[in-house]
Each structure stands twice: as C-alpha cells, then as structure tokens.
Amino acid sequence: MLLGRLFVGIGMGLGPPVASLYVTEISPAFVRGTYGSFIQIATCLGLMGALFIGIPVKETAGWWRICFWVSTIPAAVLAVAMVFCAESPHWLYKRGRTEEAEAEFEKLLGGSHVKVALAELSKSDKGDDTDTVKLSELFYGRHFRVVFIGSTLFALQQLSGINAVFYFSSTVFKSAGVPSNLANVFIGIANLTGSIIAMVLMDKLGRKALLLWSFSGMVMSMVLQVTAASSYVANSGAMYLSVGGMLMFVFTFALGAGPVPGLLLPEIFPSRIRAKAMAFCMSVHWVINFFVGLLFLRLLEQLGPQLLYSIFGTFCLIAVVFVKRNVVETKGKSLQEIEIALLPQE
C-alpha cells in the first residue's frame, strides 16, 4: 500500500506540470487558454468520479480494492493514447531537431502555418544552450521576476485554503447539518461549473481578469464564512451562510485561481528555463498544499473558524493586489511574444 502510494505520488508530481507544459507548447495562441482549461475540467471530473465510485465503500467489504482497480483505467488510456500524440515542437526545436519540429507543426497546425510558427520559435530559441541551465539561474538576474511571480502565484493559490476546503468539506458541512455525500456532490458540481465557465471565458476575458475576479470572489466567500462563524447570526442563518460561502468559494476558485496558474506559468517562463521553473513552482505548490492539509483541522480547533477563515480571506486579498501589480496579460500572444515582453534584454 505504501509503495503504491509512493508511485502514485510520483506520478502526481510529474503529471500536472508536464500536462500544462505540453498543452501550452502545442496549442495555437488564440485557443491556448481554452485548451489549458480542459486540465482543470478533467481534474473536476476525476474528483466527481472518485466520489461516486467510492459511495459503496462503507456498505461493501473490499470495495476500496475496486476503487483502485478502476483508477488504473484512465492511467492506461493516457499511457496508450500519448503514443499517438504529437511531440512538442518547442522541445524538438530546442534540441536542434528542426525537421521533426516542422513535421509536428504540420500535424498540429496544418501546412500553411508551419513557416510562421518556426519563425516565431527562432525569435527566442535560436542559440539557446538548454543543457547549461542551472537551478541557481532561477533565483537571480533576468529570470528572477518571472520565477517569483510563478512561485508566489502558486503559494497564494494554496494559502487561500482551497485544499483545506476540499479535504475537509465533509467535516465542515456535517457541522452545519448537511450529509457528507450530499455536501461532496455540491462541492463537485460547483467546481465543475466554475471550470466550464473559465474555459469559455479564458481566451475572451484573459488570464489576469479571471484571476482578479476569482480571488475577489474568494475574499467575499470568506467574508460569508467569517460572518457565519460569528455569534451575531442565528443558527439557521449561520448554516445557510456557511454552506453558501463554501460553495461560492469553490465556484470562484474554479473560475480563475484554479486553472489559470497552471496555464499562465508555462506561458510567462522563457523557453530556456521553462521546465526547471515549472518544476520549482510545482514544488512550492505541493509543499504548501501538504502543510495546509496537515494543519487545517488543528488550527480550526485552536483558532476557531472565524479567525482561520479571516486568515484565508487575507491571503486571497493579498493575491488580488499581487495579481493586479505583477501579472501580465498573455491572451492571444505567442509564447515568443510573451518572452520578449517579459524578459529584460541582456
């Protein structure tokens, strides 16, 4: 069991950043946001699927084994289907395999767009020696700003308390008198609905606008939670505010704070450091995720819901200010245009 969890954890550590990188590098600029949103929607569907598959686990002995067997199906489908998918032309071009990159562009974009796509690549990638990139290069000089933006964005995403909501929504809803299965269904629907709306709006409103609206909505959701936890609200009113605030929090998270960072980071990182920078930022993501999940219930008991939700709301407010001041809009721009705009010239 522990060995299996280790392998699953390694897979989860590799999967999300590589998926975001891959989708970003193979997608045309005008639909890159929409395609990137499918990752978040797939995550929502996976969570809801796991919820429904796990419903019989209390009544049926050994059902947990069935849950694990079922999870091998999407993993196997992905492993087999990726054989038939295109390799990233960006990766091929950086390795000096220009002819293969040209063939992959033709497969992805059609023959008429190949020359334009290769010309865009040559603006930033030509002459880059990717093998000499050191981890220390991420933390000083011309690369520091984008790595700082990326890691801070992921840190604030986790410090907003979203995974505490996902991990312990049943506990919170149960205290409000809502059955755990019903609560999880509502959480899943709110998450999926927000993700679908984000997919539709990603390439219309842009990444920055979605992030601002999303974190602002999360602040308002936490205000509802704090109000529900106060002694000035009647029990019935507190229950409605708590449940409504929780659902609104998940919904507004899925509108931007959930899907956008995973898409935005591969866009703003220069091609030369993109892989290592994504790996570092995802490490920040998982470390903070771990500590939030570990400490949430303990802090809830010691600080009380009112103070704890105030802290989460404060981090959401900090995120609004940070996005407003630091995040650039990438909607409709090629990766090379973004790199030239963001990276100071040497």
Side-chain angles (χ1 to χ4, degrees), residues 281-292:
C281 290
M282 286 304 296
S283 299
V284 172
H285 171 278
W286 286 116
V287 167
I288 297 180
N289 175 302
F290 170 77
F291 282 109
V292 170

Side-chain angles (χ1 to χ4, degrees), residues 250-331:
V250 172
F251 174 75
T252 51
F253 173 85
L255 279 177
V260 171
L263 169 69
L264 183 70
L265 268 56
E267 291 182 323
I268 67 172
F269 290 146
S271 56
R272 186 167 179 269
I273 65 163
R274 190 172 291 141
K276 282 187 171 64
M278 277 297 293
F280 173 76
C281 290
M282 286 304 296
S283 299
V284 172
H285 171 278
W286 286 116
V287 167
I288 297 180
N289 175 302
F290 170 77
F291 282 109
V292 170
L294 181 69
L295 299 174
F296 174 71
L297 281 184
R298 193 176 305 170
L299 291 174
L300 188 62
E301 292 171 1
Q302 293 182 358
L303 302 178
Q306 196 169 6
L307 180 55
L308 184 58
Y309 290 141
S310 296
I311 293 171
F312 285 149
T314 301
F315 278 118
C316 293
L317 191 58
I318 292 171
V320 173
V321 176
F322 179 82
V323 170
K324 183 73 175 175
R325 291 186 174 181
N326 295 282
V327 173
V328 296
E329 185 52 72
T330 60
K331 178 187 70 172

Side-chain angles (χ1 to χ4, degrees), residues 25-26 87-94 101 104-105 108 121:
E25 292 187 344
I26 67 169
E87 181 56 87
S88 165
H90 290 251
W91 183 81
L92 291 169
Y93 190 88
K94 286 190 292 183
E104 297 297 349
F105 267 134
L108 289 164
L121 271 183

Side-chain angles (χ1 to χ4, degrees), residues 21 64 79 96 98 121 123 135 150 169-170 327:
L21 272 174
W64 62 272
T98 308
L121 271 183
K123 289 179 184 177
L135 196 62
S169 59
S170 299
V327 173

Side-chain angles (χ1 to χ4, degrees), residues 1-337:
M1 176 71 78
L2 291 174
L3 186 61
R5 287 177 67 86
L6 174 65
F7 288 141
V8 170
I10 292 171
M12 284 302 299
L14 288 170
V18 173
S20 297
L21 272 174
Y22 181 72
V23 171
T24 299
E25 292 187 344
I26 67 169
S27 302
F30 68 97
V31 290
R32 193 169 56 233
T34 302
Y35 289 174
S37 299
F38 279 117
I39 297 174
Q40 177 73 7
I41 290 175
T43 302
C44 297
L45 293 174
L47 288 169
M48 294 181 71
L51 167 68
F52 286 113
I53 292 168
I55 286 175
V57 77
K58 289 183 180 179
E59 290 76 28
T60 309
W63 185 259
W64 62 272
R65 297 179 187 275
I66 303 295
C67 296
F68 284 143
W69 277 115
V70 170
S71 70
T72 64
I73 297 172
V77 169
L78 178 63
V80 173
M82 283 306 298
V83 175
F84 303 97
C85 291
E87 181 56 87
S88 165
H90 290 251
W91 183 81
L92 291 169
Y93 190 88
K94 286 190 292 183
R95 292 295 181 278
R97 295 154 63 176
T98 308
E99 292 181 3
E100 292 177 62
E102 190 174 341
E104 297 297 349
F105 267 134
E106 187 170 357
K107 187 188 300 183
L108 289 164
L109 307 176
S112 59
H113 299 284
V114 171
K115 289 185 178 179
V116 176
L118 283 174
E120 284 288 337
L121 271 183
S122 67
K123 289 179 184 177
S124 60
D125 284 336
K126 191 173 183 180
D128 275 351
D129 184 7
T130 56
D131 293 331
T132 64
V133 180
K134 299 176 181 177
L135 196 62
S136 59
E137 290 184 46
L138 305 181
F139 309 117
Y140 67 86
R142 60 203 298 260
H143 296 135
F144 173 77
R145 183 191 172 206
V146 287
V147 175
F148 171 73
I149 291 171
S151 55
T152 304
L153 205 53
F154 263 136
L156 289 171
Q157 180 201 62
Q158 294 304 304
L159 290 170
S160 71
I162 183 61
N163 279 303
V165 171
F166 280 134
Y167 295 157
F168 304 111
S169 59
S170 299
T171 305
V172 175
F173 275 87
K174 189 175 180 182
S175 65
V178 180
S180 59
N181 282 341
L182 188 61
N184 288 332
V185 169
F186 286 150
I187 289 286
I189 291 172
N191 196 15
L192 181 61
T193 304
S195 299
I196 292 172
I197 295 173
M199 180 189 71
V200 174
L201 297 178
M202 190 75 74
D203 286 310
K204 294 180 180 178
L205 294 182
R207 287 60 152 157
K208 186 171 183 176
L210 283 180
L211 278 176
L212 287 172
W213 282 106
S214 176
F215 279 118
S216 298
M218 291 160 71
V219 172
M220 296 306 299
S221 304
M222 282 302 168
V223 169
L224 292 180
Q225 294 281 42
V226 171
T227 305
S230 71
S231 57
Y232 300 104
V233 182
N235 287 337
S236 59
M239 184 187 76
Y240 289 121
L241 282 175
S242 181
V243 172
M246 190 75 77
L247 293 176
M248 180 180 171
F249 186 82
V250 172
F251 174 75
T252 51
F253 173 85
L255 279 177
V260 171
L263 169 69
L264 183 70
L265 268 56
E267 291 182 323
I268 67 172
F269 290 146
S271 56
R272 186 167 179 269
I273 65 163
R274 190 172 291 141
K276 282 187 171 64
M278 277 297 293
F280 173 76
C281 290
M282 286 304 296
S283 299
V284 172
H285 171 278
W286 286 116
V287 167
I288 297 180
N289 175 302
F290 170 77
F291 282 109
V292 170
L294 181 69
L295 299 174
F296 174 71
L297 281 184
R298 193 176 305 170
L299 291 174
L300 188 62
E301 292 171 1
Q302 293 182 358
L303 302 178
Q306 196 169 6
L307 180 55
L308 184 58
Y309 290 141
S310 296
I311 293 171
F312 285 149
T314 301
F315 278 118
C316 293
L317 191 58
I318 292 171
V320 173
V321 176
F322 179 82
V323 170
K324 183 73 175 175
R325 291 186 174 181
N326 295 282
V327 173
V328 296
E329 185 52 72
T330 60
K331 178 187 70 172
K333 297 178 182 178
S334 72
L335 298 181
Q336 288 66 44
E337 289 172 334

